[in-house]
Amino acid sequence: QVQLVESGGGLVQAGNSLRLSCAASGRTFSTYTMAWFRRAPGKEREFVAAITRNDNTDYADSVKDRFIISRENAKNAVYLQMNSLKPEDTAVYYCAGKAFYKNNYDYWGQGTQVTVSS
C-alpha cells in the first residue's frame, strides 16, 4: 500500500552530522503528517520529530536544538538533518506517516541504523 523507505544511516563520530532520507509512495503524500521515531537497544520506541502538511514541526526535547525535519513534496520525501550528534542518539531510526486526520501512524519504514561513536 503505502511504502516508506529510509536511507542515510551509518556510523558517525560524536559532534558530526548526518541526514536521513525517507522516500514515500502514494498520491496523498502531501497531506500526510510525517515523522521520525527511533528505538535504541533495550528501549521503547520514542518520538523524534514530525512535520505536518502545513509544515508545522514538533520535536522531542532531546533533539529540538539539534535536529531539523523537512519535507519535499515534489519528491515524496522527508528528511531528518541531525547535527551535533551524541552517542545517546544511537538507535534505529524509522520514518512514519499518517493521514492528517488520523491519530496513529499507520505506515512505517524498515528503519535505518544510526550509530554515534565517542
Side-chain angles (χ1 to χ4, degrees):
Q1 198 161 348
V2 175
Q3 291 184 318
L4 304 175
V5 181
E6 304 96 332
S7 62
L11 174 63
V12 298
Q13 219 169 7
N16 288 347
S17 298
L18 199 63
R19 190 177 84 152
L20 305 183
S21 298
C22 174
S25 65
R27 64 177 183 85
T28 59
F29 172 81
S30 63
T31 72
Y32 270 50
T33 296
M34 302 299 297
W36 291 94
F37 291 78
R38 67 187 182 186
R39 179 172 53 82
K43 297 182 63 179
E44 294 294 304
R45 182 186 65 200
E46 67 173 345
F47 171 81
V48 176
I51 184 167
T52 71
R53 59 176 176 168
N54 296 318
D55 283 350
N56 294 315
T57 57
D58 289 322
Y59 297 93
D61 288 341
S62 59
V63 308
K64 187 174 183 178
D65 297 326
R66 300 181 294 121
F67 291 9
I68 301 172
I69 187 171
S70 62
R71 68 192 301 157
E72 193 169 0
N73 290 337
K75 294 184 177 179
N76 274 20
V78 181
Y79 308 100
L80 185 67
Q81 178 66 43
M82 303 184 294
N83 301 314
S84 301
L85 282 163
K86 305 174 180 179
E88 50 262 46
D89 294 319
T90 295
V92 177
Y93 283 72
Y94 297 92
C95 180
K98 70 176 185 71
F100 68 93
Y101 56 86
K102 294 286 189 67
N103 291 325
N104 300 320
Y105 287 90
D106 298 325
Y107 307 105
W108 296 84
Q110 81 288 350
T112 186
Q113 176 71 47
V114 173
T115 303
V116 184
S117 63
S118 59

